[in-house]
Amino acid sequence: MTQEAETRPTRVGFFTDTSICIGCKACEVACKEWNGVPDDGFVFRATSYDNTGQLGADTWRHVAFIEQDDRWLMSSDVCKHCTHAACLDVCPTGALFRTEFDTVVVQADICNGCGYCVPACPYGVIDRRERDGRAWKCTMCYDRQRGGLEPACAKACPTDSIQFGPLDELRERAAARLERLHADGVAEARLYGDSPDDGVGGAGAFFLLLDEPETYGLPPDPVVTTRDLPEMWRWAGGAAVALVGAVAACFLGSRR
Amino acid sequence: MRAGRGGDPAVTVPEAEFRSYYGQPVLKPPVWHEPHMPVYLYLGGLSGASSVVAAAARFSGHDRLAFAARMTAFAGAGLGSGLLVAELGRPERFLNMLRVFKVTSPMSVGSWTLAVHGGLTAAGAASALTGLLPLAGDAAVMASALTGPVMATYTGVLLADTAVPAWHAARREMPFLFAGSALASAGAAGMLTTPRAEAAPARVAAALGAVMETTAAAIIERRLGLEGEPYHQGRAGLLIKASRALTLAGGLLATVAGRSRTLTAMSGLAITAGALCTRFGMLAAGKASALDPKYTVVPQRDRATGRRLVAVPDQEGGPDTP
């Protein structure tokens, strides 16, 4: 309510610079503690030092470990808070909404657990918590932001691999960082999700990666599924007309 | 790190080499349960097409077929609604479906359509059963002939409007597949519940629907490349094969089913079983498609590479050098 008189806040986001991630998982822990996210099982996966595996209803920050021949890659994944968010588009109850910070949040008191957002997300982020029945994901610490605080993961990150701030500023900072890395000979560095021209209109949480996105479990060219929805409704309209026509044909010549 | 090189060697799609995070899925598979979701998809289609049949039968004087189709439309919508509510993670909150109307959400459009269609078919059935307000009952049936086609086709959009590669790639054919299957189902139900002498239009509907469904499935098979692979493999592949055989056999039998009760029963049951196999197969294929990172990564990588070839040259030697 305090913001009613003020102008709309600028869009904020995360810039996760994986080139300085040390894989400490402080972000995972801080997220769980602040948001009261339940246990996701402490499992040794026997693939790497990754215990959580992937983002899900009970894992809102996930640190990926990739052991390559000459190096380790580490990256803290999170909900992308897309400009064109499929989860929000397809939510039938309005439980998913866009906040004043241009982030995407589930209202737990509205969600009826229909599960439609789950296969809609092109990043495989949101999931249904089966023992609770509702869909859950990162809120970018909506409550902390309302109180003027940065999200718990960014606050806890000891190397500033996770940076929080106005999205415009983060994009400038990321471009400068990329230029610096290229100048230093790290030719494989690339930004992921920073462009407003990509298939989701740009992510609110974007990354600097040191390998192809798919190596980190990220889709190489995600597109919001609802981009094709007008076309889909047209095809459905055609099918509906065909159905009526077919039924009419069934009764032609058999009038009693 | 290299994954892939898996799958069935008999498949004609060339094996794709791709990278992934320890072979883990990129996407989350659909959480919908069996039998709730596939049986709802069947019942919703059955109810939708039956309401159109009921209206056409009423107009053309096929009164017994009109009555049977009216009852089928009501039963399908009623049972289907129950399954949808049971499918929710929080069934007690099912009314939240009618909290907003969003054309960007096929589930929202479907919920509102089902609510209206369910009401209309219930009114039509109640009037026919009690003999009260026959004009209002007929009006309800006529109105349900408008909501019915939406019921029978929106489910195609429901599945296609996801990130699941096998579903999204089949977005053009999916509504026709569901419409055809719904028409065949309604025809089968009409055959099974109406005296043979008056069930001729139902038999034609069964045959036409079977043709429509089979054609849409064949186009999906032809047009989709790698994304279509889950329709041929594993449990989904078996279900789709069974569906194809049952639907075709049932559709053929429908053309001669007017001759005996046995043929009618065989045709009607085969088509019904085929329609159910279609729905179970589609859900299984969607889950398999989401769970294998190949179907997410390879088409997107191809797309990204193709675009990069024609993209701005300032990326040369830059971030995209492998």
Side-chain angles (χ1 to χ4, degrees), chain B residues 250-321:
Chain B
L252 279 173
L253 279 174
T255 58
V256 293
R259 292 180 196 166
S260 82
R261 289 176 68 173
T262 315
L263 285 172
T264 296
M266 280 169 63
S267 168
L269 292 175
I271 284 175
T272 303
L276 280 164
C277 283
T278 299
R279 307 314 199 284
F280 279 87
M282 294 304 281
L283 183 62
K287 288 188 176 179
S289 169
L291 281 172
D292 190 332
K294 172 169 66 177
Y295 303 120
T296 309
V297 171
V298 173
Q300 290 191 24
R301 173 52 59 200
D302 290 350
R303 197 164 65 205
T305 309
R307 199 175 51 214
R308 211 176 289 150
L309 289 176
V310 295
V312 281
D314 66 0
Q315 300 215 331
E316 242 177 316
D320 297 313
T321 306

Side-chain angles (χ1 to χ4, degrees), chain B residues 32-48:
Chain B
W32 298 320
H33 298 119
E34 289 176 356
H36 306 65
M37 195 60 181
V39 175
Y40 165 72
L41 293 177
Y42 162 74
L43 289 173
L46 173 69
S47 171

Side-chain angles (χ1 to χ4, degrees), chain A residues 45 47-48 50 53-56 62 64-68 88-95 108-116 118-128 130 132-134 182 187-190 211-223 225-226 228-229 231-233 235-236 238-240 242-244 246-247 250-251 254-256, chain B residues 1 19-22 24 26-33 49 52-53 56-57 59-62 65 87-91 93-94 96-97 99-100 102-109 145 148-150 152-154 157-164 168 171-172 175-176 179 183 197-198 201 204-205 208 212 296-297 300-301 303-304 307-308 317-322:
Chain A
R45 307 176 70 86
T47 50
S48 74
D50 181 349
Q54 64 267 308
L55 292 172
H62 162 244
F65 280 74
I66 300 118
E67 251 183 280
Q68 297 181 340
L88 190 159
D89 283 347
V90 306
C91 175
T93 64
D109 56 338
I110 305 289
C111 175
N112 66 6
C114 77
Y116 199 20
V118 176
C121 174
Y123 299 96
V125 170
I126 196 165
D127 204 359
R128 189 159 79 179
E130 285 307 323
D132 163 290
R134 292 172 292 185
H182 284 172
E188 67 273 26
R190 86 267 334 257
D211 206 331
E212 300 286 2
E214 53 265 41
T215 310
Y216 298 87
L218 296 165
D221 187 24
V223 174
T225 182
T226 43
D228 301 321
L229 191 55
E231 179 202 346
M232 291 185 233
W233 282 130
W235 284 95
L243 174 65
V244 173
V247 172
C250 298
F251 286 86
S254 66
R255 192 177 176 91
R256 289 166 74 92
Chain B
M1 259 315 87
R19 302 171 76 187
S20 72
Y21 185 65
Y22 302 104
Q24 286 184 187
V26 173
L27 304 173
K28 292 279 181 291
V31 293
W32 298 320
H33 298 119
V52 186
V53 170
F59 257 125
S60 60
H62 295 76
L65 177 58
E87 169 59 47
L88 294 176
R90 290 289 180 107
R93 292 187 183 175
F94 73 95
N96 282 8
M97 285 295 189
R99 196 177 156 265
V100 290
K102 287 168 76 176
V103 75
T104 62
S105 170
M107 179 135 9
S108 173
V109 173
V150 184
T153 53
Y154 93 86
V157 185
L158 182 80
L159 298 193
D161 191 34
T162 61
V164 175
H168 189 76
R171 58 189 174 276
R172 295 177 186 171
F176 286 91
L183 180 59
E198 208 186 295
V204 182
L208 266 182
M212 191 168 168
T296 309
V297 171
Q300 290 191 24
R301 173 52 59 200
R303 197 164 65 205
R307 199 175 51 214
R308 211 176 289 150
D320 297 313
T321 306

Side-chain angles (χ1 to χ4, degrees), chain B residues 108-174:
Chain B
S108 173
V109 173
S111 298
W112 280 100
T113 306
L114 177 60
V116 175
H117 182 78
L120 291 171
T121 53
S127 164
L129 282 175
T130 60
L132 296 171
L133 303 170
L135 276 178
D138 281 351
V141 170
M142 293 309 154
S144 75
L146 296 175
T147 51
V150 184
M151 283 295 296
T153 53
Y154 93 86
T155 46
V157 185
L158 182 80
L159 298 193
D161 191 34
T162 61
V164 175
W167 289 351
H168 189 76
R171 58 189 174 276
R172 295 177 186 171
E173 297 85 0
M174 201 90 91

